């Protein structure tokens, strides 16, 4: 689907420090970093993780972008963004804003139904994202769903269905 991307929260970094092996969040333990999943000390690597609001003519949808899907949006690696954040936070904020301010994108979203204490909630993750230039934006996508949100929620009305790609 085609949508406009807007970063939902710009008050925190768009990356986290991850274990190079399992890609899970790694924590500082005095002077070293420890991965509680791998049970080892690792040198962390920055990975993208941010919530982005996507909007089209049918409505809005909030989804999480992880590393591979976020690189095309920001136009640089998470390591480059991490270094920019450490060097000059004002320039970092400007880069993030330029990358996500009303940027038209083509995306594929993965929805997953979660339950916690009998409350069901659909969580959305961007599976693939491609920025659109002005020449391509006016061309319709083949078989594009009429209503992105309705199609995603309709897929969960069927029993025993956990995930579906759009």
């Amino acid at each position: 689907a085609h949508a406009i991307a807007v970063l939902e929260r710009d008050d925190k970094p768009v990356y986290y420090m991850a274990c190079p092996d399992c890609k899970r969040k790694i924590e500082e333990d005095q002077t070293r970093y420890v991965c509680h999943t791998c049970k080892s000390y690792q040198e962390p690597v920055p990975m993208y993780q941010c919530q982005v609001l996507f909007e089209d003519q049918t409505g809005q949808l909030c989804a999480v972008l992880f590393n591979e899907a976020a690189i095309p949006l920001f136009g640089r690696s998470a390591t480059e963004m991490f270094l920019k954040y450490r060097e000059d936070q004002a320039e970092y904020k400007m880069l993030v804003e330029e990358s996500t301010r009303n940027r038209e994108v083509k995306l594929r979203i993965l929805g997953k139904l979660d339950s916690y204490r009998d409350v069901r909630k659909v969580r959305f993750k961007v599976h693939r994202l491609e920025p659109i230039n002005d020449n391509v934006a006016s061309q319709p996508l083949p078989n594009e769903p009429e209503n992105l949100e309705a199609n995603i929620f309709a897929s969960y009305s069927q029993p025993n269905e956990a995930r579906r790609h759009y």
Side-chain angles (χ1 to χ4, degrees), residues 6-116:
V6 178
L7 189 64
E8 187 165 85
R9 292 186 61 188
D10 63 355
D11 60 334
K12 65 178 193 170
V14 294
Y15 60 85
Y16 68 101
M17 300 310 284
C19 172
D21 296 331
C22 68
K23 309 294 187 239
R24 297 207 183 247
K25 187 175 181 178
I26 200 166
E27 295 180 12
E28 194 170 3
D29 181 25
Q30 296 163 353
T31 59
R32 301 184 294 182
Y33 287 92
V34 62
C35 176
H36 295 292
T37 305
C38 296
K39 308 282 189 234
S40 64
Y41 291 98
Q42 300 279 352
E43 189 63 34
V45 295
M47 302 287 280
Y48 280 116
Q49 179 185 9
C50 57
Q51 285 201 344
V52 177
L53 183 67
F54 295 99
E55 185 175 296
D56 66 4
Q57 69 275 11
T58 65
Q60 298 177 339
L61 181 88
C62 188
V64 177
L65 274 133
F66 286 102
N67 206 51
E68 296 305 316
I71 290 172
L73 181 65
F74 292 105
R76 55 192 46 86
S77 71
T79 302
E80 291 174 274
M81 290 297 271
F82 166 74
L83 294 173
K84 185 57 70 182
Y85 183 81
R86 290 182 64 184
E87 290 171 10
D88 185 356
Q89 289 189 13
E91 190 174 338
Y92 162 83
K93 282 189 117 171
M94 186 183 72
L95 284 172
V96 170
E97 186 178 317
E98 286 176 0
S99 299
T100 58
R101 184 180 349 121
N102 295 328
R103 185 124 184 240
E104 191 166 0
V105 295
K106 183 172 114 178
L107 65 149
R108 186 172 291 262
I109 295 176
L110 174 70
K112 182 179 180 185
L113 184 61
D114 286 338
S115 284
Y116 180 71

